[in-house]
Amino acid sequence: MSRSSPSSSSELLRAHCAAISNEEAVLREGGGKAGHERQRKMGRLPVRERIGHLLDKDSQFFEIGLWAAYKMYEQWGKIPAAGVVTGIGNIECVSCMVIANDATVKAGAFFPQTTKKVIRAQRIAFECSLPIIYLVDSAGVFLPMQDEIFPDEDDFGRIFRNNSIISAAGIPQFAAIMGNCVAGGAYLPVLCDKILMTKGSGLYLAGPSLVKAAIGQIVDAEELGGAQMHAEISGTVDFFEKDDPSCLKRLRSLIALLPEAQEDGRARPPGAPIDTKTAKPAKSPDSVYDLISFDGQKQYDVRDLLAAVVDADSIDEYKADYGKTIVTAYARVAGRAVGIVANQRLQVRTKKEGIQMGGVIYSDSADKAARFVMDCNQTGLPIIFFQDVTGFMVGRDAEESGIIRSGAKLVNAVSNSVVPKITVVVGGSFGAGNYAMCGKAYDPRFIVAWPTARYAVMGAAQASDTVFAVLARARERDKKSSPEELEELRATVKKNYEEQTDIRYGAARGWVDAIIQPHETRDVLIRLLQYVSRPTPKARFHTGVIQV
């Protein structure tokens, strides 16, 4: 290998990360210039300007699901961010979840991934005890795809079920209707604690044309479900606002009434002490670009990665000389104590097993990690998982060592863990390794990924060979294929599989909450640890049956 190779590898990785960042900038434009102008003509602000007015001036916004629906519904055009913006930021120094429809994207209509994105945001808010602010501006369900949006347990109706559960848990919910709010979607604001509505907006179960078709009644939109009607006649709306700025100002004043804002929220958001000035990592966060490679083939010591993320001199490694293909450690991030479970990508040597391959989970490493997860639960430490895993070891020796039993032990421990879990996918996330290292199915409070991350049941080479063999046998049964045709089939299978392992494919489907830049990992974790460490809601006022 030439001396320039490491530098070339680093530059390739940086270029890929920059390209991902540029794509995200385009996604944030939503429906583009034409859509923004359309909003302004109606006297309304584009969704990200609304959020900008709502958040504290110095607040960062941790966006969730920006890649949702990416390249998924191309027959209907582009659906950037699934037509809804979700994320966490501070309002009056209180960390809040914001769920805001983007009316520049298909009038804010709900696609299947829109629904899943909103449900994910509600779940995060529930588990982290975050107040939720809904900025409603949506035409409702996208009717051509209603069969994929309407009926199932993770579809549209689940949103309103969640509204009710979240309310019963005592977590505040605020809804501001700032445009359309029609059909089933009208239940969302009415299930919230407080409802605001701007002049010119509409809230009704059926619009004027549907009312005419259903019962023959002719009525205009304002008379049917306008803000003034709901403020003066139906009594549904709590605050009637003249425009977007006044509505957002009112929202801020209502959030300022929450106990967190009145007590110590203005001094510091709730949670354990954060010391970002004196606590620094041992290595520059930028050093990770020289550590890993774009193709994921380069070996590296995961301790070097951790040194660029956690506080210097804070690591206490647990069972350092046992189960070496997983590193388990106690550490601090900006002063906050955490447990770390990370895949080791170096080839290691053990006295019992001899050489073990990096990124592979063996029986001893699974046993160690399971014991560590149990210990973190015993002491109440949040756990951060760093995934770069090719899967569990296979073969006769592995089976004789009880790899299935050890793997089940780790999966069981992660499944039953009650402390907050955060997962960072830095490289491969393959097969059952994804499960054992707290993949999406194992309820991490947050799961984020680097642009280098790859998701699949197995690596592209092995999987494409397997799929090709199946397809080739099927083709041979039906007709004889030339070597050229078979080679073309092999190339097509591999290309399709590699596209599916791209992290953007997974992010579009909600498998990760966000794609983050590698050098920003520490800063992101500092914020996420603040969110997961909020106190859970205490018992609140409840009533029995009320006659109305």
Side-chain angles (χ1 to χ4, degrees):
M1 184 177 287
S2 68
R3 290 184 181 181
S4 63
S5 294
S7 175
S8 300
S9 175
S10 173
E11 289 306 312
L12 184 63
L13 175 57
R14 290 174 188 271
H16 179 66
C17 291
I20 291 285
S21 183
N22 290 337
E23 279 193 89
E24 291 190 335
V26 174
L27 291 174
R28 289 189 176 97
E29 293 174 2
K33 186 178 179 182
H36 289 202
E37 288 176 353
R38 190 166 60 249
Q39 279 288 93
R40 296 188 195 285
K41 281 181 181 177
M42 293 188 288
R44 299 170 186 167
L45 296 174
V47 64
R48 292 183 185 276
E49 287 189 30
R50 286 172 172 170
I51 293 172
H53 281 272
L54 183 62
L55 299 180
D56 297 343
K57 286 184 179 179
D58 59 348
S59 173
Q60 293 178 303
F61 185 62
F62 178 72
E63 187 159 355
I64 296 164
L66 175 60
W67 291 86
Y70 177 71
K71 293 187 176 181
M72 286 185 68
Y73 310 118
E74 292 183 322
Q75 70 271 38
W76 304 110
K78 294 183 178 179
I79 317 294
V84 63
V85 179
T86 61
I88 304 170
N90 284 359
I91 305 169
E92 294 293 332
C93 293
V94 178
S95 295
C96 298
M97 175 67 76
V98 179
I99 299 174
N101 300 115
D102 186 350
T104 71
V105 179
K106 302 293 183 185
F110 274 70
F111 285 74
Q113 285 304 127
T114 317
T115 300
K116 287 174 174 54
K117 182 171 172 177
V118 171
I119 291 170
R120 174 64 178 163
Q122 288 181 317
R123 176 169 188 160
I124 290 171
F126 180 77
E127 292 182 343
C128 297
S129 301
L130 298 170
I132 308 178
I133 292 83
Y134 303 91
L135 305 183
V136 184
D137 193 351
S138 170
V141 165
F142 185 67
L143 288 177
M145 300 187 73
Q146 65 85 26
D147 61 319
E148 297 181 48
I149 305 167
F150 170 66
D152 213 342
E153 64 182 358
D154 59 349
D155 285 344
F156 199 53
R158 189 73 170 190
I159 295 172
F160 318 127
R161 175 266 187 195
N162 288 349
N163 286 136
S164 306
I165 299 297
I166 290 166
S167 180
I171 298 172
Q173 295 179 95
F174 303 80
I177 303 165
M178 309 176 79
N180 288 316
C181 184
V182 300
Y187 287 112
L188 184 148
V190 182
L191 287 165
C192 291
D193 304 0
K194 297 177 178 64
I195 310 173
L196 299 79
M197 191 169 179
T198 57
K199 185 177 180 180
S201 295
L203 171 67
Y204 28 66
L205 290 177
S209 57
L210 185 55
V211 168
K212 182 179 179 181
I215 64 173
Q217 189 178 73
I218 299 174
V219 60
D220 66 38
E222 178 59 36
E223 183 184 1
L224 180 65
Q228 197 159 352
M229 187 283 288
H230 280 304
E232 296 179 358
I233 300 175
S234 79
T236 301
V237 169
D238 302 319
F239 297 93
F240 171 60
E241 304 296 339
K242 63 178 181 178
D243 54 23
D244 281 16
S246 67
C247 182
L248 296 166
K249 183 180 179 182
R250 177 83 69 179
L251 264 175
R252 286 182 55 83
S253 69
L254 293 173
I255 292 163
L257 298 174
L258 294 176
E260 301 135 272
Q262 295 182 68
E263 292 167 6
D264 64 346
R266 296 183 185 280
R268 188 191 77 245
I274 292 292
D275 184 4
T276 56
K277 292 183 179 178
T278 59
K280 300 288 183 184
K283 293 191 173 185
S284 164
D286 210 51
S287 66
V288 296
Y289 291 101
D290 300 316
L291 191 63
I292 66 170
S293 62
F294 173 56
D295 61 8
Q297 298 302 310
K298 184 178 176 182
Q299 290 192 31
Y300 64 89
D301 191 335
V302 75
R303 297 178 186 87
D304 291 331
L305 188 157
L306 297 179
V309 175
V310 305
D311 299 352
D313 301 320
S314 72
I315 292 182
D316 293 304
E317 191 169 344
Y318 177 87
K319 296 186 187 293
D321 300 316
Y322 182 77
K324 294 180 181 180
T325 63
I326 290 182
V327 170
T328 50
Y330 306 105
R332 291 184 179 272
V333 179
R336 179 170 281 132
V338 298
I340 303 279
V341 180
N343 296 115
Q344 174 60 281
R345 285 309 305 263
L346 283 181
Q347 189 179 85
V348 300
R349 180 181 290 276
T350 68
K351 289 186 176 180
K352 184 178 179 182
E353 304 287 343
I355 296 294
Q356 292 184 337
M357 294 181 288
V360 177
I361 302 175
Y362 291 77
S363 295
D364 54 358
S365 51
D367 284 342
K368 176 176 81 170
R371 179 66 183 82
F372 182 77
V373 167
M374 289 187 277
D375 189 73
C376 287
N377 277 268
Q378 189 76 358
T379 51
L381 283 181
I383 306 172
I384 303 174
F385 293 83
F386 287 88
Q387 282 195 10
D388 194 352
V389 58
T390 55
F392 283 85
M393 190 57 190
V394 296
R396 184 187 60 199
D397 292 344
E399 299 295 353
E400 289 178 354
S401 75
I403 187 66
I404 298 174
R405 184 181 64 248
S406 296
K409 191 186 305 180
L410 177 53
V411 167
N412 193 314
V414 173
S415 301
N416 286 294
S417 177
V418 295
V419 296
K421 302 184 293 267
I422 299 172
T423 301
V424 183
V425 188
V426 303
S429 181
F430 295 119
N434 168 280
Y435 305 158
M437 294 296 292
C438 198
K440 181 70 184 294
Y442 291 80
D443 297 335
R445 295 280 183 92
F446 295 94
I447 179 168
V448 297
W450 288 5
T452 49
R454 299 175 313 285
Y455 249 125
V457 71
M458 65 178 76
Q462 306 95 308
S464 56
D465 283 349
T466 303
V467 174
F468 166 73
V470 173
L471 294 177
R473 282 198 299 270
R475 180 177 285 194
E476 286 295 312
R477 282 196 300 268
D478 298 332
K479 64 174 184 175
K480 294 293 182 183
S481 299
S482 68
E484 291 78 13
E485 289 174 324
L486 286 174
E487 195 54 42
E488 184 180 347
L489 175 62
R490 181 190 293 275
T492 301
V493 167
K494 186 173 183 181
K495 180 176 179 290
N496 291 340
Y497 198 87
E498 285 176 343
E499 286 178 358
Q500 291 178 18
T501 64
D502 189 305
I503 193 58
R504 287 167 289 189
Y505 185 93
R509 289 153 179 78
W511 301 345
V512 296
D513 296 319
I515 299 175
I516 66 172
Q517 295 294 304
H519 66 279
E520 295 176 348
T521 303
R522 175 179 167 85
D523 291 337
V524 169
L525 286 175
I526 288 171
R527 289 156 62 191
L528 299 187
L529 285 167
Q530 285 182 273
Y531 303 146
V532 303
S533 299
R534 289 170 53 86
T536 55
K538 298 175 182 176
R540 301 293 176 112
F541 170 72
H542 281 75
T543 63
V545 175
I546 299 177
Q547 299 298 332
V548 296

